[in-house]
Amino acid sequence: MANRNPARLAACLLLAGLSLLPQQPAASAPLSEKSLDLGAPAGYELMLLPEDGLYPGEKASFILLPPPDADLNETEFTASRRLDGEPVLLGAATFGGHGIGRSQRATLRWVWNTAGLSAGKFVLYFQLAPEGPAWSQVFTLRRPETQPPAQRDAAWEMLQTDCCILYYMTGTAGHRDLEDMADTADAQAESVSARMGVDFAEPVTVVLLPRTLGHGGFATSEIYVSYLDRNYAGSDFSIVLHHEMVHILDLRLGGELRPSMLVEGLATYLTGGHFKAEPLLPRAAALPELGWYVPLRRLTDNFYFEQHEVGYLQAAALIEYMVERWGYDAFDAFYRDIHPVPEGSQSDALDAALQEHFALTLDDLEVDFMARLAAEEVTAANREDVRLMVMLFDTVRRYQQVGDPNAYFLSAWLLSIEDMQTEDITADYARHPNSLENQALEALLAAAEDALRLGNTARAEELLAAVNVVLAALESGKQPTAAMAADPLAADALAVVQALHAQGYEIQSLVFEAGRAWAHATQPRTSPLPALVMVELVREGDGWAVVSANR
Ligand SMILES: [Zn+2]
């Protein structure tokens, strides 16, 4: 339940590399290249984007993660190439806090434009200026014909609906399901408007992302939602959309100080759940019993750093309780009338507004709220579901830190649709770490979510335990294949992924049962749009064999 500390987090990131696949053995490189492929100095990690390969014509970005204790206030990170022996600067950046987590890093975004270059190996030179180390590193531009055709031709396109401008990338699941997406967006916008009594001032920009980012979406004045077949963060498109649309209208309705706890609580409450429709008070009532209840003062002042699912559930249940007690209009009048207290925290501001509107302090409210939770009967089903939901998302985040670090919510690679269109960027979101080990772990996470959704908590726990065994092995430095072998269920999942891969399929979902497996899969090399095929496999000796495939 505790938050990982940044030092340990950095250690996990170091294991991640660009994907879980082992790097090319250095021995295969010619001597001169080996001597140029030095890699970042000890304690630093250099990440290349896009992930899962780089192709001619793409714009590459570099992120340098320093050791946790490095003092880099006066330091600049530079990247350059050499043309005819002369250095050509690609870009320079200082170190700064990044993302919600404010992790220290230097980012050179889209600095290496590979347009006009052919496939092959290229040496880039990096330096920490003025006094830091300098090093060179070799990067490979892959042959274009090895790239899946849909990715090679990918472009951002848009569709205007009643409510929204939907952006989607061609050749992705969002493109395939576009009409459903459009209907869903219109229905959600109507529902949010009706619920909040205010219309959207302008069309809502909704960007469908073909990779998992954070918990499945983020919002600025625009909404970015992950939509893909193997969405291991398990987010429901309509619920994420509803949640983010509430944020937009909430912002429009205003308020001088809207504490994060109430902002997220309101979006979750009005959506009727966080990642799925869920009874809020009956589930929040399980929190004290599980020992996970967060005191309101702490939750208010530290919202994004408390256990994520607990925080959202508790905040939404608190609002449900307040609406139950005073009515929505009175709650809304209070919520939009919170003001900063000089040199005070968000909880001080909340406390003052509570006294003003309801003649009680935050501590009084907490006593009453806890009494309301205690009055609720905690069913075993709700308690198990809350416990496993927390385990599920803790596991998702642990996976992201080890296997998909640019998706991890505290340091996610967030790009605006405007920038992506201006710079013609699709690869950063079209691809993600996609080794067979990544695929197997993501399929197991998605299977755990399915089991939880169906109320099969025992199976969900078994699947999550398997993923955690592998993640612990990766964190301790094991190679991906060896790590997968550390758990029989994970080893089976990898064997299924390998059997599918051998026949040109990429796994999207997985169900196991007594020597049989059923997988939804796509064929990235053959279909222009990702058509889902149901593939059945049987265990054969140590491996798995495909027995049938149907659309
Ligand atoms: Zn939110």
Side-chain angles (χ1 to χ4, degrees), residues 325-326 351-362 364-365:
R325 183 164 169 186
W326 291 295
D351 186 61
L354 281 167
Q355 295 188 44
E356 176 80 26
H357 279 257
F358 302 124
L360 85 184
T361 64
L362 184 55
D364 296 335
L365 178 68

Side-chain angles (χ1 to χ4, degrees), residues 18-20 49-53 151 209-213 228-232 399 403-404 406-407 426-435 438-439 442 506-508:
L18 300 177
S19 84
L20 291 176
L49 282 121
E51 292 152 296
D52 198 36
Q151 259 186 31
L209 303 174
R211 75 176 282 182
T212 301
L213 276 187
L228 61 159
D229 291 318
R230 195 176 69 237
N231 185 0
Y232 63 80
Y399 165 70
D404 193 3
N406 290 307
T426 54
D428 294 26
Y429 283 164
R431 295 203 295 275
H432 44 85
N434 200 38
S435 71
N438 284 101
Q439 293 181 24
E442 291 175 10
E506 177 172 335
I507 194 165
Q508 303 299 340

Side-chain angles (χ1 to χ4, degrees), residues 211-217 226 228-236 240 275 309 392-393 396-397 399-400 407 442 445-446 449 453:
R211 75 176 282 182
T212 301
L213 276 187
H215 306 103
S226 296
L228 61 159
D229 291 318
R230 195 176 69 237
N231 185 0
Y232 63 80
S235 38
D236 178 304
V240 174
F275 295 110
E309 287 64 45
L392 168 66
F393 284 97
V396 164
R397 285 183 290 268
Y399 165 70
Q400 288 178 327
E442 291 175 10
L445 285 169
E449 279 143 29
R453 201 170 298 124

Side-chain angles (χ1 to χ4, degrees), residues 219 243-244 247 263-264 267-268 274 304 312:
H243 178 108
E244 303 298 354
H247 282 326
V263 168
E264 296 299 353
T268 308
H274 190 199
Y304 288 112
Y312 279 67

Side-chain angles (χ1 to χ4, degrees), residues 12-85:
C12 298
L13 284 169
L14 289 176
L15 293 169
L18 300 177
S19 84
L20 291 176
L21 269 185
Q23 303 296 306
Q24 285 286 324
S28 68
L31 189 63
S32 60
E33 181 192 305
K34 243 195 324 190
S35 63
L36 287 168
D37 196 16
L38 296 173
Y44 287 81
E45 189 199 357
L46 182 71
M47 294 199 288
L48 164 73
L49 282 121
E51 292 152 296
D52 198 36
L54 182 64
Y55 296 88
E58 293 179 341
K59 291 175 183 164
S61 305
F62 302 93
I63 300 172
L64 188 65
L65 303 172
D69 51 354
D71 175 11
L72 297 160
N73 280 336
E74 308 291 322
T75 305
E76 204 175 47
F77 170 53
T78 66
S80 53
R81 282 191 68 198
R82 297 234 167 110
L83 283 181
D84 304 324

Side-chain angles (χ1 to χ4, degrees), residues 88-378:
V88 177
L89 184 70
L90 295 174
T94 52
F95 287 81
H98 170 84
I100 307 174
R102 312 309 302 156
S103 62
Q104 197 178 211
R105 54 173 57 192
T107 303
L108 295 171
R109 193 172 79 165
W110 303 329
V111 292
W112 185 28
N113 186 348
T114 67
L117 300 178
S118 305
K121 292 184 187 289
F122 295 84
V123 183
L124 262 49
Y125 298 82
F126 300 94
Q127 189 173 10
L128 291 174
E131 286 162 359
W135 72 98
S136 56
Q137 212 158 320
V138 176
F139 295 90
T140 302
L141 289 184
R142 292 186 184 175
R143 286 180 293 117
E145 61 272 22
T146 61
Q147 187 176 18
Q151 259 186 31
R152 195 170 52 222
D153 304 332
W156 287 105
E157 291 187 356
M158 59 104 124
L159 174 76
Q160 174 121 31
T161 74
D162 290 346
C163 69
C164 303
I165 299 172
L166 282 182
Y167 287 91
Y168 60 95
M169 199 184 290
T170 58
T172 62
H175 183 187
R176 179 193 66 205
D177 300 340
L178 191 61
E179 282 181 25
D180 287 347
M181 308 279 92
D183 291 345
T184 303
D186 284 337
Q188 296 306 322
E190 225 177 280
S191 146
V192 173
S193 272
R195 196 77 175 73
M196 299 183 78
V198 59
D199 286 327
F200 290 93
E202 50 193 41
V204 181
T205 296
V206 178
V207 184
L208 303 175
L209 303 174
R211 75 176 282 182
T212 301
L213 276 187
H215 306 103
F218 63 96
T220 51
S221 57
E222 297 161 341
I223 298 175
Y224 294 77
V225 193
S226 296
Y227 188 80
L228 61 159
D229 291 318
R230 195 176 69 237
N231 185 0
Y232 63 80
S235 38
D236 178 304
F237 175 70
S238 56
I239 286 182
V240 174
L241 205 55
H242 194 283
H243 178 108
E244 303 298 354
M245 283 174 166
V246 170
H247 282 326
I248 289 181
L249 289 190
D250 178 21
L251 183 66
R252 226 188 128 204
L253 289 168
E256 192 186 359
L257 193 168
R258 292 171 305 123
S260 309
M261 190 262 284
L262 293 181
V263 168
E264 296 299 353
L266 183 69
T268 308
Y269 164 69
L270 290 177
T271 302
H274 190 199
F275 295 110
K276 59 181 177 187
E278 55 188 347
L280 297 168
L281 280 164
R283 293 176 91 251
L287 295 176
E289 202 175 303
L290 288 161
W292 292 349
Y293 178 87
V294 183
L296 290 183
R297 202 165 269 281
R298 196 178 99 199
L299 188 64
T300 307
D301 291 329
N302 197 39
F303 186 77
Y304 288 112
F305 298 92
E306 293 298 334
Q307 205 290 333
H308 190 86
E309 287 64 45
V310 168
Y312 279 67
L313 173 60
Q314 197 182 308
L318 175 68
I319 292 181
E320 182 164 84
Y321 165 68
M322 294 180 76
V323 170
E324 182 182 274
R325 183 164 169 186
W326 291 295
Y328 188 81
D329 291 347
F331 167 79
D332 194 58
F334 144 80
Y335 170 60
R336 308 219 175 267
D337 192 27
I338 303 172
H339 306 280
V341 174
E343 288 168 49
S345 59
Q346 291 202 344
S347 61
D348 293 332
L350 186 57
D351 186 61
L354 281 167
Q355 295 188 44
E356 176 80 26
H357 279 257
F358 302 124
L360 85 184
T361 64
L362 184 55
D363 292 342
D364 296 335
L365 178 68
E366 177 139 52
V367 170
D368 295 350
F369 177 49
M370 290 202 74
R372 175 67 180 83
L373 292 179
E376 194 73 40
E377 189 203 343
V378 180

